[in-house]
Amino acid sequence: MTTVPASADAVVVGGGTIGAWTAWFLRTSGLSEVVLIERDTLGQGASSRAAGMVRAQGGTEAAVRLGLFSREFYLRQADEIGIDSGFVEQGYFMPCFSEAEVAQAQARIAMQQDLGLLVRWVEPDEFDDLNPAMAPGQTLGASYAPGDGYLDPPRNVLAYTAALFTAGVTVCERTPFTGLLSSGNRVTGVSTSSGDIATERVVLTGGPSLAAV
């Protein structure tokens, strides 16, 4: 669609991985009218060309919990929506190259384990054995989570495109976001190149270009 509805329960700005799956979650959580606006086409930006890394080895509790949630979601996609993003649990190393990084990794592992993440410290010799494509003797060890891995970026775009339309999200491609509408300190809608949409809920996922907003 290149026209926009007059109102919505929620508007998501940006048709990449974050925006598209956010719109899908909003719609499947019970909101009746969810609109996604994208200035080009779904997956046109980094989402179709990214490395596709999916890991729960975050540096904060929030990042670890979000990573665990994401891994579990990608694993159950086929059962839940009939298509998947090609997630592969191949394991993920985060190597250390200085004593300071080793200390940080050890503290990070302790935090991650407390949150339920299966992760462990790998000594340099084991790291070299498990990574034959890397020159030996380069690291002081690494953290390792066997459940982390990667997805297939183009397949992920196909998956969320199918999920959006199956769930009934209104997708408006080639529709640039031009600003927020507000009254007092509350959002009342969004402006687009095709007109305004009245809404009380807006999620901005359009990347650095929306930093000022």
Side-chain angles (χ1 to χ4, degrees):
M1 293 180 60
T2 54
T3 58
V4 297
S7 63
D9 294 315
V11 175
V12 177
V13 179
T17 296
I18 303 300
W21 285 121
T22 295
W24 181 82
F25 277 114
L26 287 169
R27 179 69 182 92
T28 56
S29 72
L31 294 185
S32 297
E33 183 63 40
V34 177
V35 177
L36 182 149
I37 59 174
E38 163 57 42
R39 66 182 178 184
D40 289 312
T41 57
L42 294 175
Q44 185 68 26
S47 291
S48 60
R49 297 181 287 275
M53 296 179 291
V54 178
R55 62 177 173 87
Q57 293 182 76
T60 65
E61 289 192 12
V64 174
R65 294 183 190 279
L66 182 58
L68 287 168
F69 173 87
S70 298
R71 285 188 348 190
E72 292 165 3
F73 169 63
Y74 286 124
L75 284 170
R76 70 173 189 269
Q77 278 182 318
D79 292 334
E80 191 163 343
I81 61 177
I83 191 171
D84 65 75
S85 299
F87 177 54
V88 177
E89 294 180 281
Q90 73 161 23
Y92 193 109
F93 293 91
M94 295 186 68
C96 298
F97 301 94
S98 69
E99 292 297 343
E101 289 182 351
V102 171
Q104 292 169 357
Q106 297 286 6
R108 190 171 63 244
I109 288 171
M111 178 270 291
Q112 293 165 346
Q113 289 175 337
D114 286 344
L115 294 173
L117 177 63
L118 182 60
V119 60
R120 66 184 179 90
W121 175 254
V122 173
E123 295 292 344
D125 288 345
E126 184 181 3
F127 177 88
D128 291 343
D129 289 342
L130 295 173
N131 292 276
M134 187 170 177
Q138 300 299 306
T139 79
L140 299 179
S143 62
Y144 174 67
D148 287 349
Y150 66 93
L151 53 73
D152 182 316
R155 184 176 177 86
N156 180 52
V157 175
L158 290 174
Y160 69 61
T161 300
L164 288 171
F165 285 98
T166 301
V169 173
T170 299
V171 177
C172 302
E173 296 184 307
R174 300 181 179 88
T175 305
F177 164 81
T178 57
L180 288 175
L181 303 175
S182 62
S183 177
N185 62 352
R186 294 190 63 82
V187 168
T188 60
V190 299
S191 293
T192 79
S193 61
S194 298
D196 296 343
I197 308 172
T199 186
E200 296 181 348
R201 304 176 184 89
V202 180
V203 184
L204 300 176
T205 71
S209 64
L210 296 180
V213 183

